[in-house]
Amino acid sequence: MSGNVVVLTGGVGGAKLVLGLQELAPPDRLTAIVNTGDDFRHLGLHISPDIDTLLYTLAGKANAEQGWGRAGESWSFMAALRELGGEDWFALGDHDLALHVLRTMRMARGDGLAQITADFARSWGIGMAVLPMSEQVVATHVLTDEGDLAFQRYFVERRCQPVVRAIRFAGADAATPAPGVVEAIEAADAILIAPSNPFLSVDPMLAVPGIRAALGRARAPIVAVSPIIGGKAVKGPTAKLMAEMGLIVGNDAIARHYAGLVDGLLIDQGDPPPAGAIASARTDTMMRTVEDKRRVAQAAIDLARAVASA
Amino acid sequence: MSGNVVVLTGGVGGAKLVLGLQELAPPDRLTAIVNTGDDFRHLGLHISPDIDTLLYTLAGKANAEQGWGRAGESWSFMAALRELGGEDWFALGDHDLALHVLRTMRMARGDGLAQITADFARSWGIGMAVLPMSEQVVATHVLTDEGDLAFQRYFVERRCQPVVRAIRFAGADAATPAPGVVEAIEAADAILIAPSNPFLSVDPMLAVPGIRAALGRARAPIVAVSPIIGGKAVKGPTAKLMAEMGLIVGNDAIARHYAGLVDGLLIDQGDPPPAGAIASARTDTMMRTVEDKRRVAQAAIDLARAVASA
């Protein structure tokens, strides 16, 4: 494969596709634009869960079984925090803390999240560009039957149990894309949307006007990889959330959600293609092994090529 | 022993005397006023080394062999910090971090260091009052043959190797005593100065005008425990520093240093009493066991009683 590939991604699910892309293309051709709608301040620290998950994954440091955080993590900080009565609903590993402490310190002295993220990536030998979607605060809030919950309160503390009525992205209207985001989209030969949660992980990026506009005028084809497999979401709250929002779980709803934005939808081989005009292709989209990830990435790129030449 | 005892203390050496006092008096009669001249910001975190040492010591969590930090500490954070190129000259243990993160978070939202310290002490079941000397920034700087060094740079990073010319306490002139400090001094029946470094650990407290004034008008006798044993300092840079400042290491210099402030000096049984008018008493001032600490505390209290009734 040649050409520049940009992928818009959330955390765990998206990181698998990014790993697959790494198998296909040299790192200097790859850019990941990462959701920061999950970012929040906790115990005075700036935490960027999706960026961290992607960095840990690309650096080979992720805890794959657990689905978040670092492999070989230790938990002394949390034990000491509990002794002191500190809030312990969000687990911060001892290694993980280094990322948050350094990021917070650098932000406090005026460094941008894009530069900080780039420096972390370089420290760990990650060659591809990892860009936050924005350096301004965009905060995903979930309006539930229990009231308005900041994303991590809904996702981690309440384990996605409240019934979702609507989702909003506080600050998105006024946010601008982070340095490099628009340039990467403009220089892309293919733009992929990872199989992250469309409503919680991808929509915050699309809610930033400058990103939406750049995607709208992009010369490159845009292909989304559906998070649906066999009528279910692979992981996380996608299916539950879709049902609560009155959507029939399936690729029809995903295609409608991305209508007007994407040129193609890559779906699982066991699912029917979506209704409507959108181009689609099928493969086994369950990504367990490196080969799986490579196959899905290749299929997404192939679909992008096909729609570009159609 | 009855009555209220106030002790002015730095870190490790002082904490031993405070432990001894705990053996003699109920906790609601004891107040430790603690040096904060060593406090600094590191990686964006507010660190209060002497307060932390005292809290760890009183809570039975101190690493006695190492002389700082917590027993059973782990170091995952430091390992991860090094991977990311973070400054690693000051060791922050994983458990220890909880104290710094919570303190920094609470200070950022406007809580005072006195209240924060009191809450930490209560969390750990420490009954005596532990008060920072001030809630304003007083920063000990060491003027050396290598230039002006902030205290921790001199003490930790440079291991006290530079030759000391002078010491200053930036901000002390404008600082006020923390809530409770003056009240404790006024209500004291005995005031002790712990065998901490007079120049680096006690002087920052005396440099706060409101503390110096409160001590000057205190009705209670003031007794210092000398840090000199057999013409040497037990621990830390006291003797080296005295020599560099042109002082003969011994109790004469200690007595002169505290002249006009203290009514009595408790010295080691092996050392000659200081010249001059100051009252003195002797005991074995090396504090290894609990019994040692209790003995030294009792001797200091006895000397305070003796000078009060003289």
Side-chain angles (χ1 to χ4, degrees):
Chain A
M1 191 190 79
S2 65
N4 298 317
V5 179
V6 165
V7 55
L8 278 68
T9 182
V12 181
K16 292 179 181 176
L17 181 68
V18 179
L19 274 180
L21 288 167
Q22 271 202 324
E23 297 289 310
L24 300 177
D28 62 351
R29 294 296 198 169
L30 295 176
T31 300
I33 299 170
V34 188
N35 172 42
T36 57
D38 299 6
D39 286 24
F40 72 127
R41 287 237 154 204
H42 183 57
L43 305 175
L45 302 172
H46 184 100
I47 299 175
S48 297
D50 284 355
I51 289 176
D52 296 349
T53 293
L54 189 61
L55 292 177
Y56 287 144
T57 302
L58 294 175
K61 296 178 189 294
N63 185 327
E65 298 83 59
Q66 187 172 251
W68 54 271
R70 281 182 66 149
E73 189 57 282
S74 63
W75 302 97
S76 301
F77 171 80
M78 290 302 290
L81 189 70
R82 277 183 207 106
E83 286 175 3
L84 292 165
E87 282 190 54
D88 66 352
W89 61 271
F90 192 88
L92 291 169
D94 300 329
H95 296 90
D96 191 39
L97 266 172
L99 214 54
H100 311 315
V101 167
L102 279 178
R103 179 191 291 122
T104 306
M105 176 192 72
R106 292 191 56 183
M107 290 177 79
R109 71 183 192 207
D111 292 349
L113 186 58
Q115 186 59 53
I116 296 167
T117 304
D119 290 343
F120 288 166
R122 191 172 46 247
S123 291
W124 286 341
I126 297 168
M128 66 177 293
V130 177
L131 303 178
M133 67 187 203
S134 177
E135 294 191 324
Q136 281 106 41
V137 173
V138 178
T140 299
H141 282 252
V142 184
L143 309 177
T144 75
D145 58 346
E146 299 180 6
D148 182 327
L149 296 175
F151 179 75
Q152 298 296 341
R153 293 282 180 180
Y154 164 77
F155 190 70
V156 175
E157 191 177 33
R158 297 289 293 117
R159 298 165 186 270
C160 307
Q161 286 170 0
V163 175
V164 176
R165 306 291 184 212
I167 299 164
R168 68 186 178 91
F169 309 108
D173 286 350
T176 56
V181 166
V182 170
E183 295 82 347
I185 291 171
E186 288 173 348
D189 298 296
I191 298 170
L192 307 183
I193 296 177
S196 302
N197 187 309
F199 310 95
L200 290 172
S201 299
V202 179
D203 273 3
M205 295 188 268
L206 305 180
V208 176
I211 295 179
R212 184 87 197 198
L215 292 171
R217 64 173 187 268
R219 61 178 177 80
I222 304 180
V223 163
V225 179
S226 173
I228 303 293
I229 298 182
K232 294 179 187 165
V234 176
K235 198 177 178 308
T238 306
K240 172 174 181 291
L241 189 142
M242 288 178 75
E244 289 165 0
M245 294 174 79
L247 298 169
I248 296 167
V249 179
N251 285 317
D252 284 355
I254 303 296
R256 264 194 301 274
H257 186 73
Y258 287 139
L261 175 74
V262 311
D263 305 296
L265 185 66
L266 180 67
I267 64 172
D268 186 63
Q269 59 188 10
D271 284 325
I278 195 169
S280 66
R282 292 198 248 190
T283 189
D284 174 0
T285 57
M286 181 66 81
M287 292 183 278
R288 291 197 179 94
T289 66
V290 175
E291 269 317 299
D292 291 340
K293 291 162 192 158
R294 183 192 174 97
R295 179 190 63 248
V296 175
Q298 185 67 61
I301 294 290
D302 290 347
L303 178 57
R305 277 199 187 125
V307 298
S309 63
Chain B
M1 192 190 78
S2 67
N4 298 317
V5 179
V6 165
V7 55
L8 278 68
T9 181
V12 181
K16 291 179 183 177
L17 181 67
V18 179
L19 274 181
L21 288 167
Q22 270 202 324
E23 298 289 310
L24 300 177
D28 61 350
R29 293 296 198 169
L30 296 175
T31 300
I33 299 170
V34 189
N35 172 41
T36 57
D38 298 7
D39 287 24
F40 72 127
R41 286 237 156 204
H42 182 58
L43 304 176
L45 301 173
H46 184 99
I47 299 175
S48 297
D50 285 353
I51 288 176
D52 296 350
T53 294
L54 189 61
L55 292 177
Y56 288 146
T57 302
L58 294 176
K61 296 177 190 295
N63 185 326
E65 299 82 60
Q66 187 172 253
W68 54 270
R70 281 183 65 150
E73 189 56 285
S74 64
W75 302 97
S76 301
F77 172 80
M78 291 302 291
L81 189 72
R82 279 184 205 105
E83 287 176 3
L84 292 165
E87 282 190 55
D88 66 351
W89 60 272
F90 191 88
L92 291 169
D94 300 328
H95 296 89
D96 191 39
L97 267 170
L99 214 53
H100 311 316
V101 167
L102 279 179
R103 179 191 290 121
T104 305
M105 176 192 72
R106 291 193 55 183
M107 289 176 79
R109 71 182 190 207
D111 292 349
L113 186 57
Q115 185 60 52
I116 296 167
T117 304
D119 290 343
F120 288 167
R122 191 172 46 245
S123 292
W124 286 342
I126 296 169
M128 67 177 294
V130 177
L131 303 178
M133 69 187 201
S134 176
E135 295 191 325
Q136 281 106 42
V137 173
V138 177
T140 299
H141 282 252
V142 184
L143 309 176
T144 75
D145 57 348
E146 300 180 7
D148 182 328
L149 296 175
F151 178 75
Q152 298 295 340
R153 294 281 180 182
Y154 164 77
F155 189 69
V156 175
E157 190 177 35
R158 298 286 296 115
R159 297 165 188 272
C160 307
Q161 285 168 3
V163 175
V164 175
R165 306 292 183 211
I167 299 165
R168 68 185 178 92
F169 310 108
D173 286 350
T176 55
V181 166
V182 170
E183 294 82 346
I185 292 171
E186 288 174 345
D189 297 296
I191 298 169
L192 306 183
I193 296 178
S196 302
N197 187 308
F199 311 95
L200 291 171
S201 299
V202 179
D203 273 4
M205 294 188 268
L206 304 180
V208 176
I211 295 179
R212 184 89 197 195
L215 292 171
R217 65 172 187 267
R219 61 177 177 82
I222 304 179
V223 163
V225 179
S226 174
I228 303 293
I229 298 182
K232 293 179 186 165
V234 177
K235 197 174 180 311
T238 305
K240 173 176 181 289
L241 189 144
M242 288 179 75
E244 289 165 0
M245 294 174 78
L247 299 169
I248 296 167
V249 178
N251 285 317
D252 284 355
I254 301 296
R256 263 194 301 276
H257 185 74
Y258 286 139
L261 175 74
V262 311
D263 304 296
L265 186 66
L266 179 67
I267 65 172
D268 187 63
Q269 59 190 10
D271 285 326
I278 194 169
S280 67
R282 292 199 249 191
T283 189
D284 174 359
T285 58
M286 182 67 80
M287 291 182 278
R288 291 197 179 94
T289 66
V290 174
E291 269 317 299
D292 291 341
K293 290 162 192 158
R294 183 193 173 97
R295 180 189 63 248
V296 175
Q298 185 67 60
I301 294 289
D302 289 346
L303 178 56
R305 277 199 189 125
V307 298
S309 61

